[in-house]
Amino acid sequence: MTENIIKEGKTLAIVSYMTFIGLIIAIIMNLEKRNPFTFFHIRQMLGLIIMLLVSNVSEKYINSWFGTVLWIITFVCWLYGLYNAFTGEKKPIPVVGELFQDWFRKIN
């Protein structure tokens, strides 16, 4: 991926990590540009939202501590993804990032 593509998509990649609304904004704004760097981070954030939902359901219905641990893991992964968007890197979230890229590969 060239530096120009990363530079053009960096802002929307960062916006995609700003809550669910930021994700929707990034998706809509990137539909006409089709920047692959931005789509990479959009797919990562979609996966993080799923992780957040799983942690919330786990906290309520399975075990409060288990859900809290999942939430903390999700938060750390979110920080990792946001840092990579800021630095212009295309690194997947450890363990699950490649799965997110595979599950949401149609988003491009």
Side-chain angles (χ1 to χ4, degrees):
M1 187 167 303
T2 66
E3 285 293 320
N4 192 31
I5 291 173
I6 291 172
K7 186 177 178 182
E8 288 176 1
K10 192 173 183 180
T11 302
L12 285 179
I14 293 168
V15 168
S16 72
Y17 285 101
M18 300 303 160
T19 71
F20 185 71
I21 304 222
L23 177 66
I24 298 299
I25 290 169
I27 290 170
I28 291 170
M29 291 184 72
N30 198 43
L31 284 177
E32 64 186 49
K33 294 180 182 181
R34 298 239 178 259
N35 186 292
F37 181 75
T38 303
F39 276 131
F40 174 83
H41 286 285
I42 286 171
R43 289 188 292 269
Q44 294 293 292
M45 186 56 183
L46 278 171
L48 287 171
I49 288 175
I50 290 172
M51 283 177 63
L52 181 64
L53 291 173
V54 168
S55 71
N56 287 339
V57 169
S58 298
E59 188 172 18
K60 183 163 176 106
Y61 296 108
I62 297 174
N63 183 321
S64 178
W65 287 103
F66 179 68
T68 301
V69 168
L70 287 177
W71 186 89
I72 291 169
I73 291 169
T74 303
F75 180 72
V76 170
C77 289
W78 175 78
L79 287 175
Y80 182 79
L82 182 61
Y83 173 78
N84 286 330
F86 267 113
T87 58
E89 295 182 36
K90 192 176 167 185
K91 290 183 183 175
I93 295 166
V95 182
V96 292
E98 289 296 332
L99 291 172
F100 297 159
Q101 293 301 312
D102 186 44
W103 292 346
F104 304 118
R105 68 180 170 271
K106 301 270 186 199
I107 298 174
N108 57 4

